[in-house]
Amino acid sequence: MTVFNLGSINIDNVYRVPHLPSPGETLAATGYERGLGGKGANMSVAAARAGARTIHIGAVGADGGWACEQMRDAGVDIRHIARLTHTLTGHAIINVDRKGENAIVLVPGANREIPENALVAALAEAKPGDTLLLQNETILQTRAVEIARDHGLFTAFAAAPFEIEATNVLLPWLDFLILNEIEAHQLTRSTGKTLAELDVDHVIVTLGAKGARWFHGGQVQEFPALPVTPVDTTGAGDTFTGYVLAARDQGLPMGKAIDLAGRAAALAVTRHGAVNAIPALKEVREAQF
Ligand code: RIB
């Protein structure tokens, strides 16, 4: 089986700061790193490191060749990433404080110019039961779910960065939805339904340091977080999503897939960066918490 991921690719500029800046404040960073990120790229690398055949659909600008190479080296199929010469790769400015919390500003760049023919060509390779993964940092999500329904794909949406309108538009098409607790409250307020009442087979609410909650078939199951000291939470949610969908795609029952994803995310927060922090499956299996 295969995970097709229509997703963003960003160049992450990461600044270590004593605290997240307040309005009007000028702050000296104590460290700076540049690396591969973007919720889409992070999820594709996580899915590939979790062992799934992973095809990324996206776009980079003239400055993004190294980003594609890094994804390829991580095991991601990059044939359907468009190289656009007239624009720049998306980038993110990420402040990370001493507790590992972050604040992110995005410049979408090529992520908002993904050619429709890249999406259509990629999904022409899909087979019934394959997974289509989407987030909210690209264009073409509605077109993608229409094609996915025609092909009988399992359709998953990581509702980040959260926008209630975008989530409501995609809801009727989804088999899997993942979002955080605050977003879940916004969604239930907007739809007037509880998460269990949504017509989505699997809903996962991530609870940060408290773990995750899975809604399925009228049941709710809690997954406590593992005890780790975070240094950088950037991309931890993306690691969780990539792992859980990759594990499910490879036949693991959802409960076991969530356990595995929780272990992967716990390891990721103990490391700096986004893609650079995503652990390999062997490390996840062997880690002692
Ligand atoms: O979820 C973390 C990611 O959000 C970063 O890698 C950044 O690029 C933004 O997309």
Side-chain angles (χ1 to χ4, degrees):
M1 308 291 280
T2 304
V3 175
F4 291 82
N5 181 14
L6 170 62
S8 58
I9 300 168
N10 290 336
I11 298 169
D12 282 357
N13 295 289
V14 183
Y15 304 86
R16 315 237 155 258
V17 287
H19 57 266
L20 299 180
S22 307
E25 182 178 11
T26 300
L27 198 55
T30 55
Y32 167 75
E33 285 135 39
R34 185 168 172 272
L36 174 59
K39 295 186 194 309
N42 298 340
M43 289 180 200
S44 278
V45 170
R49 289 196 175 145
R53 177 169 184 251
T54 306
I55 297 181
H56 193 95
I57 307 158
V60 294
D63 54 343
W66 66 270
C68 296
E69 278 155 30
Q70 207 175 319
M71 289 174 73
R72 187 197 55 211
D73 292 348
V76 178
D77 181 332
I78 61 167
R79 286 174 300 127
H80 298 289
I81 299 176
R83 316 277 182 115
L84 307 177
T85 49
H86 64 277
T87 189
L88 291 176
T89 304
H91 74 261
I93 295 161
I94 306 181
N95 290 315
V96 180
D97 73 10
R98 287 198 178 114
K99 293 184 201 136
E101 289 296 337
N102 64 40
I104 302 179
V105 175
L106 286 177
V107 180
N111 296 312
R112 289 276 161 85
E113 298 191 44
I114 299 170
E116 188 170 336
N117 60 12
L119 171 71
V120 172
L123 292 185
E125 298 176 14
K127 308 254 178 337
D130 284 344
T131 298
L132 171 70
L133 169 59
L134 310 165
Q135 317 82 36
N136 195 26
E137 284 185 352
T138 68
I139 54 172
L140 297 174
Q141 287 93 336
T142 311
R143 183 79 187 103
V145 291
E146 284 167 3
I147 303 173
R149 178 160 291 182
D150 290 346
H151 283 67
L153 305 189
F154 179 86
T155 303
F157 181 50
F162 189 72
E163 280 176 0
I164 191 67
E165 298 78 15
T167 308
N168 276 330
V169 166
L170 292 175
L171 263 188
W173 305 85
L174 302 180
D175 300 298
F176 176 104
L177 171 67
I178 183 163
L179 70 185
N180 72 26
E181 209 170 11
I182 297 167
E183 297 159 356
H185 285 308
Q186 287 181 44
L187 185 62
T188 51
R189 235 192 352 259
S190 154
T191 58
K193 292 180 178 174
T194 65
L195 295 179
E197 287 167 346
L198 293 177
D199 192 17
V200 178
D201 202 11
H202 302 276
V203 178
I204 296 179
V205 178
T206 55
L207 307 168
K210 290 181 285 165
R213 190 173 291 145
W214 171 42
F215 297 78
H216 172 65
Q219 307 285 317
V220 186
Q221 197 173 328
E222 302 283 338
F223 294 79
L226 294 157
V228 288
T229 305
V231 299
D232 184 352
T233 57
T234 310
D238 307 334
T239 301
F240 184 97
T241 302
Y243 256 83
V244 76
L245 290 169
R248 182 205 160 272
D249 182 75
Q250 293 172 95
L252 226 59
M254 187 62 88
K256 289 209 174 352
I258 296 172
D259 273 333
L260 187 78
R263 293 172 65 83
L267 274 182
V269 299
T270 64
R271 303 169 177 182
H272 291 288
V275 157
N276 286 339
I278 299 170
L281 184 57
K282 187 167 184 291
E283 297 175 279
V284 176
R285 287 211 177 112
E286 289 174 358
Q288 307 283 334
F289 293 98

